[in-house]
Amino acid sequence: MSTKHKIGTAVYHVIVCGIGLIMIYPIIWMAFSSFKESGDVLTTVNQLIPSKFVFENYVNGWAGFAGTSFSVFFRNSFFITILSTIGGVFSSVVVAYGFSRLHFKLKGLWFAIMMMTLMLPAQVLMIPQYIMFGSIGWTNSFLPVIVPEFFGKPFFIFMCMQFISGLPRELDEAAKIDGCSLFTIFSRIIMPLLKPAMITCAIFAFYWKWDDYMGSLLYLTEPRLYTVSIAVKQFADPTSVSDWGAMFAMCTLSLLPVIILFICLQKYIVDGIATSGLKG
């Protein structure tokens, strides 16, 4: 390797590491701020390392508020996120299989309508959905934030369709000759091959639902139903003294499930997006 090439490689890695540090610095700052005194968090913004580590922030934060500890909020978030992820991924795969392999009337029109929903801002749907869920008595429950996920997500449907389109149709035809039904072909042939795409969809679905603030804010009004994203906000009270230390402590804990999930399944993100069809 030439000296010029070595210098170029070193410069490249320095730049990449610098950009990476800039991107993760807010998270590092938040983690260290969770060990500061609440009164020092905003007055020592430029100081990364606390002068005194205050571990009581985690104890006070975990105690929660209104007689409800943060264990309840984490349990609610996991319950909503896991059910929503399962429902969203499975329903999207079913719809993607129908669009990719089945023939029915107005298929192109329904596909166009499905893709057009990607262009609708979430804010446009908030009021109609709230009125609809309120009329059937679903407000102040988990149903409005879970049930809609079981009707497919356009982004996941489109991604799974691209993956299925790369699978040879000879697989379906061979299965039909063996007497397999459409359900058997889908469950025993298509779904196993869709594993990378399904895991990628599950990762995105988990991230989006875990971080969902507006949906929980609209429909969950009792502290016992709050998710982590709503509960963390309660530590910042503009009308009184905000417990910044406890808030940053719980924010740090709320990132752990997302970070652990990414570390364990990061290779599937690239595989699910880049892979199409069978590997030779």
Side-chain angles (χ1 to χ4, degrees):
M1 184 182 294
S2 62
T3 303
K4 182 178 180 181
H5 183 71
K6 291 181 179 179
I7 296 175
T9 302
V11 171
Y12 170 79
H13 283 88
V14 169
I15 294 175
V16 170
C17 291
I19 295 175
L21 180 61
I22 293 174
M23 294 177 65
I24 67 173
Y25 181 80
I27 299 177
I28 298 174
W29 181 87
M30 181 186 68
F32 278 109
S33 295
S34 67
F35 294 101
K36 295 181 179 180
E37 293 279 359
S38 294
D40 296 337
V41 172
L42 299 183
T43 58
T44 59
V45 175
N46 296 328
Q47 179 182 340
L48 181 62
I49 308 298
S51 56
K52 177 185 177 182
F53 282 82
V54 181
F55 295 94
E56 287 79 7
N57 290 333
Y58 284 86
V59 177
N60 298 333
W62 193 260
F65 50 86
T68 307
S69 70
F70 245 82
S71 61
V72 175
F73 306 139
F74 271 97
R75 183 184 64 198
N76 293 339
S77 290
F78 275 114
F79 178 76
I80 292 172
T81 303
I82 291 174
L83 284 183
S84 299
T85 299
I86 294 173
V89 174
F90 181 75
S91 58
S92 298
V93 171
V94 172
V95 176
Y97 175 70
F99 275 125
S100 300
R101 287 294 200 256
L102 304 183
H103 299 281
F104 50 90
K105 292 183 179 180
L106 303 179
K107 175 180 176 180
L109 176 62
W110 290 118
F111 178 75
I113 293 174
M114 185 272 295
M115 293 301 296
M116 288 175 61
T117 60
L118 283 171
M119 307 176 190
L120 289 175
Q123 293 79 2
V124 175
L125 304 176
M126 285 181 182
I127 295 178
Q129 286 182 341
Y130 187 86
I131 294 174
M132 179 181 69
F133 291 135
S135 64
I136 59 179
W138 280 12
T139 54
N140 198 30
S141 71
F142 293 146
L143 293 175
V145 293
I146 294 178
V147 173
E149 304 296 329
F150 281 75
F151 292 89
K153 300 182 76 67
F155 176 73
F156 296 160
I157 294 172
F158 181 75
M159 188 168 69
C160 291
M161 284 182 61
Q162 300 306 305
F163 195 97
I164 295 175
S165 64
L167 300 178
R169 289 184 176 270
E170 288 77 7
L171 294 174
D172 302 48
E173 296 171 357
K176 289 180 181 179
I177 294 175
D178 291 337
C180 294
S181 63
L182 289 176
F183 177 78
T184 303
I185 295 173
F186 171 71
S187 61
R188 295 191 177 184
I189 298 177
I190 301 299
M191 283 192 66
L193 295 175
L194 275 177
K195 180 181 176 181
M198 292 176 64
I199 293 178
T200 303
C201 292
I203 294 172
F204 284 125
F206 188 95
Y207 286 174
W208 295 341
K209 204 62 182 181
W210 183 265
D211 293 337
D212 180 37
Y213 175 79
M214 189 57 65
S216 301
L217 180 66
L218 285 174
Y219 299 110
L220 307 179
T221 58
E222 297 183 13
R224 64 180 180 85
L225 299 176
Y226 283 174
T227 58
V228 172
S229 58
I230 298 295
V232 166
K233 177 64 174 65
Q234 303 305 313
F235 286 107
D237 189 355
T239 62
S240 62
V241 179
S242 299
D243 193 347
W244 297 108
M247 185 184 74
F248 283 124
M250 293 302 100
C251 286
T252 302
L253 289 182
S254 70
L255 287 179
L256 292 181
V258 176
I259 294 174
I260 293 173
L261 183 70
F262 176 79
I263 292 175
C264 295
L265 302 177
Q266 59 178 322
K267 69 186 185 71
Y268 290 103
I269 297 179
V270 177
D271 290 345
I273 295 176
T275 305
S276 60
L278 298 174
K279 293 183 178 180

